[in-house]
Amino acid sequence: MHYERNFGDLIKVLWYDGQGLCLFSKRIDRGRFLWPSPADGTVSISTAQLGYLLEGIDWRNPQQTWRPTAAG
């Protein structure tokens, strides 16, 4: 099996829930996550933009990208 990683195909999110930190990670098979350009070293995105980002949808122009037709 050959697996080639693309830059930007993995995202990690740290979330503080009031009691501690949670680490969430997600990898997409095709394409890459489209991340906004940082201003002053930080990035602020809305809840909707985060949802698009995690689904692999371009948050600048919401159109669904490739999605598997079958699992397994």
Side-chain angles (χ1 to χ4, degrees):
M1 174 185 278
H2 178 6
Y3 180 70
E4 183 177 323
R5 285 208 44 221
N6 295 322
F7 181 73
D9 67 347
L10 174 69
I11 188 169
K12 295 178 185 175
V13 176
L14 285 173
W15 182 273
Y16 181 71
D17 65 0
Q19 296 180 348
L21 285 173
C22 299
L23 172 64
F24 299 96
S25 65
K26 185 168 184 173
R27 176 170 283 135
I28 54 176
D29 292 329
R30 290 188 181 178
R32 62 184 188 92
F33 291 105
L34 298 172
W35 195 253
S37 298
D40 300 328
T42 62
V43 174
S44 295
I45 59 174
S46 69
T47 304
Q49 289 172 325
L50 178 61
Y52 287 141
L53 179 69
L54 294 176
E55 288 298 322
I57 299 171
D58 184 350
W59 55 272
R60 300 167 300 181
N61 184 17
Q63 295 178 0
Q64 192 162 2
T65 58
W66 178 86
R67 184 180 200 111
T69 55

